[in-house]
Amino acid sequence: MTTHMEHLLNVRLCERFGDAAGWSEVTRLTASHLRVVVSALGAEDALTFLTAARRALDEEASRAGTIHLGFGAHLWTHLEGVSWGASSLAGTSAWDAMLTMHRLSVLAPDPGLGAHLDSAVDACRLRLVPAAAGF
């Protein structure tokens, strides 16, 4: 991960969760796994991957109380047909990091994986938008 991307991710996480020194244990652990995803995949593929993860999380929530295959199956479905490096070591690292983050969010549901994913998606979008685009 570039220093610039690391900074953007930290800024977005601090905006949502306050000063890093005060983060909960789950936020500290999730932040380190988000860094793995973004570092392994790069901003563009990470954006695709994280957006799919957010959709999978929403789908899992909408199916709560029903029989379904769970977050991993939903994530895989949302990643079908998009390029994110599934068969690479980087893709495997991102996949494992995401499943770990999901497990952490089940064990410690507050503040929720969705809030972490939204922060990372925002950081990736900022990284991909040229600085002059806002003018």
Side-chain angles (χ1 to χ4, degrees):
M1 176 183 321
T2 66
T3 305
H4 182 65
M5 187 64 223
E6 172 98 15
H7 176 72
L8 286 172
L9 182 57
N10 284 334
V11 165
R12 287 300 185 211
L13 290 168
C14 286
E15 285 174 355
R16 183 157 306 211
F17 303 108
D19 182 23
W23 287 353
S24 67
E25 182 179 15
V26 72
T27 295
R28 284 193 310 275
L29 291 169
T30 300
S32 68
H33 284 83
L34 286 171
R35 288 183 193 100
V36 169
V37 170
V38 175
S39 180
L41 298 179
E44 189 171 338
D45 285 347
L47 179 59
T48 300
F49 185 83
L50 293 166
T51 300
R54 185 59 162 118
R55 288 181 182 139
L57 192 62
D58 292 344
E59 184 173 353
E60 180 185 45
S62 74
R63 292 181 178 219
T66 67
I67 297 173
H68 63 97
L69 295 176
F71 176 77
H74 300 313
L75 178 56
W76 190 257
T77 299
H78 288 286
L79 288 169
E80 284 182 337
V82 298
S83 173
W84 64 278
S87 62
S88 68
L89 180 57
T92 301
S93 297
W95 180 266
D96 286 345
M98 184 55 63
L99 293 183
T100 300
M101 286 185 277
H102 182 264
R103 183 68 183 141
L104 285 169
S105 75
V106 170
L107 295 172
D110 187 40
L113 182 55
H116 294 103
L117 293 177
D118 292 343
S119 297
V121 165
D122 289 345
C124 289
R125 284 187 179 134
L126 279 175
R127 175 67 177 102
L128 293 171
V129 174
F135 297 103

